[in-house]
Amino acid sequence: MIARSFPAAVAAPVLGLGLAACTSEVAGQANPSTQVSATNSTTADPADPFAGMSPCTILDQAFTGQNLPRAEPAVADPQHSCRIAKPTSGDTPGVVVGLILQAGSDYKNNVNNPAKASDGNVNGRPAIEEQEPLHAKGQCAIRFKVGSSRALLSVSFGGDTTGACKKVEEFAEKVEPLLPKNN
């Protein structure tokens, strides 16, 4: 669970940031970006704490044995973002989990819904939990500090913001140990 320094805000996933986008517009029509294999990793850059890492591999490792489908690269920025989508089944709401590795982006910058964000930590790592970052019910996100970069874990959970935040906190405990250590 994320430890907070002030009252908790329920977080919303920022899945829209990395899960749906187009490359360019030609003659008024958007051309979808191409998807990359889940085994692709980020480009090797010594300043990039995520160099050689795949967000899909991190998600698959974190959720081994959790009855979730394998992670797939997101449409937008597939080398740095990945998602797992489990559809609604009977009375069980669907869940979408996204992970974006953003080298060179401070975890405190670009908080989309600051009124619903709180500082804290996950396993001692500085983090921010944000409910409804895209101003939509059922979303929650945690931004992890990774050196001078960030990893963004987000969850959409059947229109239930409180449930999404409980899920993202639970999932953050599994993802955080797989991220590079802060120096």
Side-chain angles (χ1 to χ4, degrees):
M1 174 163 4
I2 188 168
R4 295 176 184 87
S5 60
F6 56 86
V10 187
V14 185
L15 294 172
L17 292 178
L19 299 181
C22 297
T23 54
S24 62
E25 195 170 291
V26 178
Q29 293 184 350
N31 295 321
S33 61
T34 57
Q35 289 200 357
V36 178
S37 166
T39 58
N40 282 2
S41 61
T42 59
T43 48
D45 175 355
D48 180 353
F50 306 117
M53 298 186 80
S54 164
C56 291
T57 300
I58 292 170
L59 287 178
D60 286 338
Q61 287 176 350
F63 298 115
T64 299
Q66 298 293 310
N67 195 27
L68 291 171
R70 290 190 54 82
E72 298 177 352
V75 173
D77 198 11
Q79 290 186 348
H80 303 104
S81 58
C82 209
R83 64 178 237 148
I84 294 174
K86 184 174 182 180
T88 299
S89 175
D91 292 338
T92 305
V95 64
V96 178
V97 181
L99 179 63
I100 304 170
L101 306 178
Q102 297 176 316
S105 295
D106 188 300
Y107 81 108
K108 290 184 178 184
N109 290 344
N110 303 318
V111 174
N112 297 322
N113 198 353
K116 293 186 176 188
S118 61
D119 287 313
N121 70 77
V122 176
N123 299 330
R125 182 188 297 267
I128 294 174
E129 182 174 321
E130 182 181 11
Q131 79 176 10
E132 301 174 1
L134 298 177
H135 304 278
K137 299 238 181 267
Q139 299 177 335
C140 200
I142 292 181
R143 300 159 173 264
F144 299 96
K145 177 179 179 19
V146 182
S148 60
S149 299
R150 69 179 170 213
L152 175 63
L153 178 68
S154 58
V155 171
S156 272
F157 187 64
D160 175 8
T161 301
T162 301
C165 288
K166 287 179 183 177
K167 289 282 186 193
V168 80
E169 290 173 3
E170 173 190 335
F171 296 163
E173 295 283 330
K174 297 171 192 245
V175 169
E176 186 281 330
L178 302 173
L179 298 172
K181 301 299 178 215
N182 287 322
N183 293 334

